[in-house]
């Protein structure tokens, strides 16, 4: 029974072995002595050695599946018996062996020989495993490890790795160089806190505790807390080197995680930014030094401006006074030469100041709504008289398709145009100057325009085309050049154009004139509810245009067609008479526009011929002239209107509409002399105090005030001014800013304090007189308690204008002048501002404007009133927006502008309300602003109604 059990167990064991033998993925084979041939093998063996089947493999011996030599150079047939002997002796032997596939390549394998006994006979079981891929992977792994080590050893940044508990486990050579420690000193022994500044660790712990709302301990957690939360962790730290010196580093710490996301360590990469910080500090110091230098330069320019303008004020002022005296012809010529030279020098000073602002990057563009046609016309019109004196034809053409209502900086645009037109006038002896504006591109929100000034002057050589736009450069830089100038004008224009996002260029040939052009980008104003349409009075009107200049005909044709008229063009007087007579029978002309200067038969002769022809005598005639005229002189034909060239579109339209509305010849009104009568306050002439330390300037200002008819008391400094104000009440004070003993700013503050303590409610307007011309001077004057600002040198006309603005006669409804922001107590407006009850308008201001009317010109009062209607409505909206936004600065600015223009036109109630609102803006107390705004809107609307009625009345046309 026991035997049977043993045999059964043996069979089970053999069966189990057989199953393992057959299913093993390793190659297994059995060898028996004495020849040690293969007796049997499993399927994996057949596959590994590329045998056909088991019978094929067992027909082979160990020498058949081995190369002749092993990798160590020993013969396989010598080395194999040694391995078999070891296995038989020890019972087990493991080694590597180079095998050979049947008919295939060699491969490296591990061989395990195990001594076995089957059926009482001892043999060997060989288990073979191909390790080719394993060795390749191990080789790659070793190469990668070598590569990593090379990176760590040669990295420029310090690389430090720590275990989760903070103990350093990697410290590369760059870290050793940075910190002065060796890796052996730190690895496995220290944590990073050893080379950190303790105060930084404490501060960082505090910051992290505030950030995360939990206490972060002042230890290793400070470095790795953000990593634990999967947050970016890059921070500047100060490292303490072993020798005690410090280095600033940018440290980036990353958490190392296993496949399950568990943190296995931390890796820190530190970059030494000490040189960068040092460079940054040096740059900061250099920047501060540059800013100091810039401030010094600006102060120098301001001082130079003052020092130059002060004597210039004397030169120009005395010259202006001298011209009012009885001079003979030669004396007057010499005096005017002095005046012109002084004005030219002043223009050069202004150019230098503009250039210095550009160099300092302080020149900035405004962003204002403006009318392009008016801006261009105003610029061109300034050169009408100089062009007339040189016998030049000056034209300006802006097609009606060009958008007029734009947003940008009209002042700088005008400056660029003035410079180019001035240059064209300077370099052109005969012929014409044409200004033209064209659209380059347009969108719903922007318009890119091209401005060109073409002349028939001397021209510019090609090699100078680029040089002329460089500072202090000219096309002719020799000492014998015919034309003067600093060479800054075009440089300034180039910079202005660049600020306007445009480009500038020139097209020119010597002897064939020049065309200077530039482009500029402007924003378009939002469309209004009421779009502009052609004037109905001009629709389908047949108008004859007579001008020998093609450019003028093109301009007039474009203007007339944009208004719906039907123009017919004639290039000469003879052609015009032929057109007029041919049209008499069927389609007679309703107006003829004649050029004054034409060859063969000029405009006067043509007008006489028309008036002499019974069929044409009643035709309205409008004369265009650039040479001046006397409409009332003997022999002048009955011309119905005169327009000065270059033709302004708006003035031309007003003149034509005036002729069509009246249906008769416009009356000739000779201009009355403009009387500079002083403004009176109550029943006596205004009493003025002049505070000026320079004797020449004092004499100039006193002379101007005497001519204007004012009573003036002059003192030399601020202390004397305080004494004068204490003794006498003045209606207005003209205050120089820079004076010895006591300057104008200090004196103004003291005067305002005296006014406040006196309790009488008197507030004398103080006008600053300063030769400074830098940005911020006006703001500084107003901030000091002054009411306005007049830059030296100034003319008698400029002085008269500002005096008339501030010496407004009091009315029953006008409020007591308010105290300026710097000295006024914060009190309710109701205490000093009784509301205006009606649209008070002093029409004597209108009569003063009418006195400037020239014969045959469009109604100047109508033009001024129309401008006020448009501008004042915009300013009222700006005031409303400032009140709603509670912006005191914007309120003061808008109210001041509307106050000035309203006072100039005698709109006293509106001016009074604006003065109160300006005061509220100055003191930044807007509690009462809404009530005053409502009163302003009411009185302003009433004033606009009165002005509109005046414009509709027959006298306005």
């Amino acid at each position: 029974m026991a035997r049977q059990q043993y045999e059964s167990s043996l069979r089970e064991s053999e069966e189990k072995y057989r199953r393992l033998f057959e299913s093993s993925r390793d190659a297994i084979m059995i060898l028996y002595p004495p020849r040690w041939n293969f007796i049997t093998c499993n399927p994996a063996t057949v596959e590994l050695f590329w045998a056909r089947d088991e019978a094929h493999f067992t027909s082979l011996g160990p020498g058949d599946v081995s190369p002749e030599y092993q990798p160590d150079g020993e013969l396989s047939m010598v080395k194999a018996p040694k391995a078999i002997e070891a296995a038989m002796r020890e019972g087990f032997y493991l080694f590597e062996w180079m095998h050979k596939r049947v008919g295939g390549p060699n491969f490296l394998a591990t061989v395990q020989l195990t001594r076995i006994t089957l059926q009482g006979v001892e043999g060997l079981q060989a288990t073979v495993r191909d390790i080719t891929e394993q060795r390749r992977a191990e080789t790659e792994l070793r190469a990668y490890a070598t590569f990593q080590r090379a990176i760590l050893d040669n990295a420029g940044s310090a690389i430090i790795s720590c275990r989760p508990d903070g103990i350093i486990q990697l410290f590369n050579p760059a870290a050793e160089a940075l910190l002065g420690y060796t890796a052996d000193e730190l690895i496995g022994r220290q944590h990073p806190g050893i080379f950190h500044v303790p105060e930084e660790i404490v501060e960082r712990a505090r910051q992290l505790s505030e950030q995360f709302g939990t206490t972060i301990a002042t230890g290793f957690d400070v470095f790795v807390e953000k990593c634990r939360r999967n947050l970016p962790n890059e921070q500047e730290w100060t490292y303490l080197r072993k020798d005690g010196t410090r280095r600033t580093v940018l440290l980036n710490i990353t958490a190392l995680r296993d496949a399950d996301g568990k943190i296995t360590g931390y890796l820190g990469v530190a970059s030494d930014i000490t040189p960068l910080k040092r460079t940054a500090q040096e740059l900061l110091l250099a920047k501060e030094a540059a800013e100091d230098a810039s401030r010094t330069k600006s102060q120098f320019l301001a001082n130079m401006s003052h020092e130059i303008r002060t004597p210039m004020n004397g030169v120009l002022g005395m010259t202006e006074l001298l011209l009012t005296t009885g001079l003979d012809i030669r004396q007057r010529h010499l005096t005017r030469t002095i005046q012109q030279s002084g004005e030219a020098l002043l223009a050069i000073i202004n150019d230098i100041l503009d250039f210095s602002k550009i160099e300092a990057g302080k020149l900035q563009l405004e962003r204002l709504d403006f009318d392009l046609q008016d801006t261009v016309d105003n610029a061109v019109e300034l050169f009408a008289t100089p062009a007339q004196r040189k016998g030049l034809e000056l034209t300006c053409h802006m097609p009606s398709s060009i958008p007029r209502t734009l947003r940008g900086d009209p002042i700088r645009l005008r400056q660029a145009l003035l410079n180019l037109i001035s240059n064209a006038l300077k370099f052109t002896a005969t012929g014409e100057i044409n200004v033209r504006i064209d659209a380059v591109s347009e969108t719903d929100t922007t318009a890119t325009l091209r401005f060109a000034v073409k002349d028939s002057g001397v021209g510019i050589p090609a090699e100078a085309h680029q040089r002329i736009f460089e500072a202090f450069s000219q096309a002719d830089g020799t000492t014998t050049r015919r034309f003067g100038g600093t060479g800054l004008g075009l440089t300034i224009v180039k910079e202005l154009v660049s600020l306007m996002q445009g480009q500038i260029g020139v097209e020119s040939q010597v002897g064939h004139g020049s065309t200077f052009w530039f482009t500029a980008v402007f924003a378009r104003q939002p469309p209004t509810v009421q779009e502009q349409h052609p004037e109905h009075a001009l629709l389908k009107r047949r108008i004859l245009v007579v001008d020998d200049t093609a450019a003028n005909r093109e301009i007039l044709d474009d203007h007339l067609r944009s208004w719906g008229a039907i123009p017919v063009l004639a290039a000469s007087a003879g052609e015009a008479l032929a057109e007029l007579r041919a049209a008499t029978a069927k389609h007679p002309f309703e107006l003829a526009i004649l050029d004054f200067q034409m060859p063969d038969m000029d405009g006067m002769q043509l007008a006489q011929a028309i008036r002499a022809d019974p069929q044409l005598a009643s035709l309205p005639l409008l004369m265009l002239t650039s040479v001046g005229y006397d409409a009332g002189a003997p022999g002048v034909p009955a011309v119905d209107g005169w327009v000065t060239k270059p033709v302004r579109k708006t003035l031309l339209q007003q003149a034509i509409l005036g002729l069509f509305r009246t249906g008769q010849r416009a009356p000739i009104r000779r201009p009355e002399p403009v009387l500079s009568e002083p403004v009176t306050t109550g029943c006596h002439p205004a009493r003025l105090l002049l505070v000026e330390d320079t004797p020449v300037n004092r004499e100039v200002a006193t002379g101007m005030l005497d001519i204007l008819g004012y009573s003036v008391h002059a003192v030399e400094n601020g202390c004397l001014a305080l004494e004068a104000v204490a003794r006498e009440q003045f209606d207005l004070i003209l205050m120089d800013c820079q004076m010895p003993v006591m300057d104008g700013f200090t004196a103004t503050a003291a005067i305002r304090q005296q006014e406040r303590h006196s309790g009488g409610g008197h507030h004398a307007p103080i006008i600053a007189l300063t030769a400074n011309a830098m940005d911020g001077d006006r703001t500084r004057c107003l901030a000091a308690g002054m009411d306005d600002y007049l830059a030296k040198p100034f003319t008698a006309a400029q002085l008269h204008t500002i005096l008339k603005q501030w010496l407004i006669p009091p009315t029953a409804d006008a409020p007591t002048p308010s105290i300026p922001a710097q000295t006024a107590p914060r009190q309710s407006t109701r205490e000093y501002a009784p509301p205006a009850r009606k649209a008070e308008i002093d029409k004597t201001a209108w009569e003063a404007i009418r006195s400037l009317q020239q014969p045959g010109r469009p109604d100047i009062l109508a033009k001024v009133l129309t401008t006020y209607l448009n501008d004042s409505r915009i300013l009222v909206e700006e005031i409303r927006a400032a009140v709603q936004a509670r912006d005191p600065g914007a309120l003061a600015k808008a109210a001041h502008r509307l106050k000035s223009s309203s006072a100039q036109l005698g709109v006293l109630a509106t001016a009074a309300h604006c003065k109160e609102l300006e005061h509220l803006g100055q003191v930044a107390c807007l509690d009462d602003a809404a009530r005053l705004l409502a009163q302003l809107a009411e009185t302003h609307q009433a004033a606009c109604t009165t002005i509109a009625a005046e414009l509709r009345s027959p006298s306005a046309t």
Side-chain angles (χ1 to χ4, degrees):
M1 185 70 177
R3 180 181 177 82
Q4 290 177 347
Q5 290 178 348
Y6 172 76
E7 290 177 353
S8 174
S9 176
L10 184 59
R11 283 194 299 272
E12 288 178 5
S13 178
E14 288 178 352
E15 181 61 29
K16 186 182 294 184
Y17 174 78
R18 171 58 60 182
R19 286 198 300 269
L20 290 174
F21 180 79
E22 295 291 339
S23 62
S24 174
R25 296 178 63 180
D26 290 333
I28 302 175
M29 59 215 73
I30 305 298
L31 302 86
Y32 274 99
R35 298 182 59 187
W36 299 103
N37 287 335
F38 300 116
I39 302 301
T40 185
C41 69
N42 67 348
T45 302
V46 175
E47 182 180 355
L48 178 62
F49 287 93
W50 294 6
R52 292 191 299 271
D53 50 31
E54 182 181 349
H56 179 209
F57 183 78
T58 55
S59 68
L60 304 174
D64 297 319
V65 291
S66 300
E68 185 176 0
Y69 291 95
Q70 287 299 307
D72 60 1
E74 190 174 0
L75 285 169
S76 297
M77 296 308 295
V78 174
K79 192 170 186 176
K82 296 177 182 179
I84 292 173
E85 180 183 354
M88 290 301 290
R89 182 177 64 252
E90 302 294 334
F92 176 86
Y93 186 59
L94 179 65
F95 59 96
E96 289 184 1
W97 191 263
M98 183 65 71
H99 279 293
K100 180 178 70 174
R101 290 184 172 92
V102 178
N106 298 341
F107 65 93
L108 186 65
T110 58
V111 179
Q112 177 181 308
L113 294 178
T114 306
R115 187 177 64 206
I116 61 173
T117 301
L118 290 177
Q119 298 177 353
V121 179
E122 286 188 341
L124 291 175
Q125 174 184 296
T127 303
V128 180
R129 179 176 296 172
D130 187 352
I131 63 170
T132 303
E133 287 300 317
Q134 177 185 333
R135 286 303 171 87
R136 184 186 61 76
E138 290 174 353
T139 301
E140 290 180 355
L141 187 59
R142 282 194 298 272
Y144 184 69
T146 302
F147 175 70
Q148 283 187 319
R149 174 52 61 184
I151 290 176
L152 291 173
D153 291 346
N154 296 284
S157 299
I159 301 176
I160 304 169
S161 178
C162 298
R163 299 193 312 233
D165 62 0
I167 297 300
I168 296 171
Q169 62 182 4
L170 185 148
F171 198 79
N172 76 334
E176 292 179 324
L178 177 63
L179 289 163
Y181 293 95
T182 65
D184 292 339
E185 290 179 280
L186 302 181
I187 291 177
R189 301 181 181 186
Q190 299 288 348
H191 63 78
I194 191 174
F195 44 77
H196 277 270
V197 177
E199 292 80 9
E200 280 191 358
I201 296 176
V202 172
E203 175 60 21
R204 183 63 172 159
R206 185 191 64 77
Q207 293 173 359
L208 291 174
S209 298
E210 290 182 0
Q211 181 178 353
F212 298 130
T214 185
T215 301
I216 305 298
T218 56
F220 186 64
D221 292 347
V222 168
F223 304 115
V224 299
E225 184 61 31
K226 295 185 76 172
C227 298
R228 292 170 179 164
R229 298 170 182 262
N230 289 318
L231 297 174
N233 190 4
E234 188 171 67
Q235 179 82 12
E236 280 190 19
W237 292 93
T238 301
Y239 273 177
L240 278 174
R241 286 173 50 83
K242 186 177 180 180
D243 62 7
T245 58
R246 300 190 176 201
R247 306 291 289 182
T248 303
V249 299
L250 185 64
L251 177 61
N252 187 295
I253 302 176
T254 306
L256 304 176
R257 300 176 185 269
D258 60 17
D260 298 327
K262 181 181 178 181
I263 294 177
T264 60
Y266 300 94
L267 181 68
V269 179
S271 301
D272 186 2
I273 60 172
T274 306
L276 291 178
K277 299 291 284 187
R278 187 180 301 116
T279 302
Q281 181 64 26
E282 291 171 355
L283 288 175
L284 179 61
L285 294 175
K287 175 177 176 290
E288 291 174 351
E291 289 173 348
D292 288 341
S294 178
R295 283 190 292 270
T296 303
K297 177 181 176 181
S298 297
Q299 186 60 48
F300 171 76
L301 288 170
N303 292 338
M304 286 300 298
S305 171
H306 179 271
E307 295 301 323
I308 295 174
R309 286 170 179 269
T310 297
M312 282 299 300
N313 182 53
V315 172
L316 292 177
M318 284 297 187
T319 303
E320 188 171 6
L321 294 177
L322 186 58
L323 287 170
T324 64
T325 64
L327 302 176
D328 60 30
I329 295 176
R330 176 170 173 75
Q331 291 170 334
R332 185 166 296 277
H333 170 72
L334 295 175
T335 306
R336 288 198 182 279
T337 301
I338 295 172
Q339 185 181 45
Q340 291 167 2
S341 299
E343 290 171 348
L345 179 57
L346 188 60
I348 293 172
I349 295 169
N350 291 334
D351 274 353
I352 293 173
L353 288 173
D354 269 349
F355 180 69
S356 68
K357 292 177 188 176
I358 289 171
E359 273 199 322
K362 293 183 178 180
L363 189 64
Q364 296 181 340
L365 297 184
E366 299 287 345
R367 187 173 172 83
L368 307 171
D369 290 347
F370 70 99
D371 186 297
L372 178 63
Q373 184 81 60
D374 287 347
T375 300
V376 174
D377 285 347
N378 286 333
V380 175
E381 192 175 41
L382 288 176
F383 296 95
T385 301
Q388 164 204 325
R389 292 196 191 105
K390 295 186 72 172
L392 300 175
E393 187 77 22
L394 177 61
T395 64
C396 178
H397 185 200
M398 189 178 96
S400 56
S401 58
I402 301 292
R404 287 185 53 169
T405 54
L406 301 174
R407 184 170 292 161
D409 193 332
I411 303 301
R412 294 303 182 182
L413 171 61
R414 181 173 178 269
Q415 182 181 356
L417 287 172
L418 289 177
N419 193 290
L420 297 185
I421 299 171
S422 175
N423 281 350
L425 193 64
K426 180 195 299 185
F427 293 103
T428 305
T430 60
E432 59 186 33
I433 299 172
N434 308 118
V435 180
R436 183 178 179 91
I437 300 92
D438 292 291
V440 177
S441 63
E442 296 183 51
T443 68
D444 293 337
T445 57
T446 63
T448 302
L449 305 180
R450 184 180 189 268
F451 300 82
V453 178
K454 181 180 181 181
D455 63 60
S456 57
V458 296
I460 302 170
E463 61 271 16
H465 285 186
Q466 291 301 319
R467 188 175 72 247
I468 56 175
F469 293 106
E470 298 173 2
F472 308 107
S473 294
Q474 296 175 318
D476 180 7
T478 65
T479 57
T480 58
R481 66 181 188 270
R482 294 166 51 199
F483 306 100
T486 61
L488 284 177
L490 288 177
T491 302
I492 294 172
V493 174
K494 181 181 178 181
E495 295 299 330
L496 292 178
V497 168
S498 178
L499 289 173
M500 290 187 282
Q501 305 174 58
Q503 297 178 324
I504 189 170
V506 62
E507 300 161 5
S508 180
Q509 291 182 2
V510 176
H512 293 83
S514 305
T515 299
F516 281 87
W517 59 267
F518 67 88
T519 60
V521 180
F522 300 98
R524 304 182 72 155
Q525 293 182 30
T528 56
V529 176
Q530 255 188 337
E531 297 292 337
Q532 292 186 345
H533 297 289
E535 176 59 48
H536 292 294
L538 300 182
L539 286 175
K540 299 190 182 301
R541 297 271 194 169
R542 283 174 52 78
I543 299 175
L544 179 65
V545 175
V546 190
D547 198 309
D548 64 303
T549 304
N552 280 339
R553 293 198 301 274
E554 180 186 0
I555 293 169
L556 294 169
D557 180 71
D558 185 83
H559 290 347
L560 294 170
R561 290 189 185 279
S562 71
W563 301 324
I566 305 174
V568 175
L569 309 181
S572 66
E575 185 179 339
L577 289 171
E579 290 281 359
L580 288 169
R581 288 163 181 159
T584 301
K586 296 183 178 179
H587 301 290
F589 289 98
E590 299 173 74
L591 172 69
I593 301 175
L594 315 179
D595 184 27
F596 185 85
Q597 281 186 309
M598 292 187 293
D600 299 330
M601 179 185 288
D602 63 22
M604 284 297 190
Q605 294 169 328
L606 176 58
Q608 290 171 346
I610 292 172
R611 293 298 182 221
D613 189 325
Q615 292 184 313
L616 306 176
S618 62
L619 178 67
L621 301 179
L622 183 64
M623 186 71 75
L624 307 181
T625 177
S626 57
V627 298
Y629 59 90
D630 183 357
V636 174
V639 176
D640 298 275
W642 297 77
V643 173
T644 301
K645 295 196 296 185
V647 176
R648 296 188 60 164
K649 187 174 183 179
T650 52
L651 298 183
L652 177 66
Q653 185 183 39
Q654 290 174 12
I656 295 174
L657 290 176
L659 293 179
F660 283 149
R661 284 171 183 160
T662 59
Q664 59 185 3
R665 183 184 178 191
I668 299 296
R669 290 195 302 176
R670 295 185 179 277
E672 299 176 3
V674 179
L675 299 177
S676 297
E677 295 181 357
V679 177
T680 59
T681 56
C683 57
H684 62 86
R687 175 70 167 159
L688 274 58
L689 174 64
L690 171 65
V691 189
E692 171 63 70
D693 65 303
T694 306
V696 173
N697 286 349
R698 216 166 39 248
E699 186 174 350
V700 168
T702 302
M704 288 183 178
L705 293 170
D706 287 341
I707 289 176
L708 294 174
Y710 291 100
S711 172
V712 59
H713 174 63
V715 296
E716 300 174 8
N717 57 57
C719 284
L720 296 177
L722 291 178
E723 295 175 4
V725 170
R727 293 192 307 268
E728 180 181 354
Q729 181 170 301
F730 293 94
D731 298 303
L732 184 141
I733 301 171
L734 296 168
M735 180 75 72
D736 186 26
C737 291
Q738 295 187 3
M739 296 180 292
V741 185
M742 180 184 289
D743 63 29
F745 300 112
T746 306
T748 297
I751 290 171
R752 294 304 184 215
Q753 187 175 15
Q754 285 184 11
E755 291 174 344
R756 188 166 63 251
H757 291 162
S758 68
H762 177 66
H763 175 88
I766 299 179
I767 309 300
L769 304 179
T770 176
N772 286 338
M774 303 297 286
D775 286 343
D777 289 328
R778 180 182 179 86
T779 303
R780 185 184 177 196
C781 293
L782 296 179
M786 300 175 181
D787 297 275
D788 214 330
Y789 168 105
L790 186 60
K792 293 189 269 187
F794 51 82
T795 64
Q798 291 170 331
L799 179 61
H800 175 61
T801 298
I802 200 166
L803 293 178
K804 196 169 185 180
Q805 174 183 332
W806 285 99
L807 292 171
I808 303 175
T811 66
D813 297 320
T816 302
S818 60
I819 302 171
Q822 276 60 38
T823 57
R826 289 183 174 269
Q827 58 184 359
S828 170
T829 310
R830 296 182 182 89
E831 296 179 11
Y832 63 88
R837 293 184 294 274
K838 59 183 178 179
E840 195 73 50
I841 296 181
D842 179 9
K843 293 193 175 182
T844 58
W846 295 6
E847 294 304 318
I849 295 173
R850 278 199 179 99
S851 70
L852 304 174
Q853 184 69 45
Q854 295 186 26
R857 291 287 189 93
D859 192 336
I860 188 172
L861 177 61
K863 179 183 177 183
V864 172
L865 293 178
T866 301
T867 302
Y868 175 83
L869 282 180
N870 295 332
D871 291 350
S872 64
R873 286 165 178 158
I874 295 173
L875 290 172
V876 169
E877 291 307 311
E878 290 181 2
I879 293 172
R880 190 188 311 280
V883 171
Q884 292 173 350
R886 302 194 67 79
D887 186 343
L891 174 61
K893 181 179 179 181
H896 178 77
R897 290 174 59 195
L898 184 56
K899 177 192 71 177
S900 300
S901 58
S902 299
Q904 189 71 31
L905 284 178
V907 187
L908 302 182
T910 298
H913 287 309
C914 287
K915 189 168 186 177
E916 296 173 71
L917 285 165
E918 180 186 13
H919 169 72
L920 294 185
Q922 291 172 339
V923 300
C925 180
L926 305 187
D927 296 339
D928 218 13
R931 180 183 66 82
L932 285 174
L933 173 61
Q935 294 179 359
L936 170 65
E938 180 180 354
T939 56
H940 174 259
Q941 183 57 45
C944 289
T945 302
T946 302
I947 292 172
E950 173 67 19
L951 291 172
R952 289 193 298 269
S953 67
S955 62
T957 58

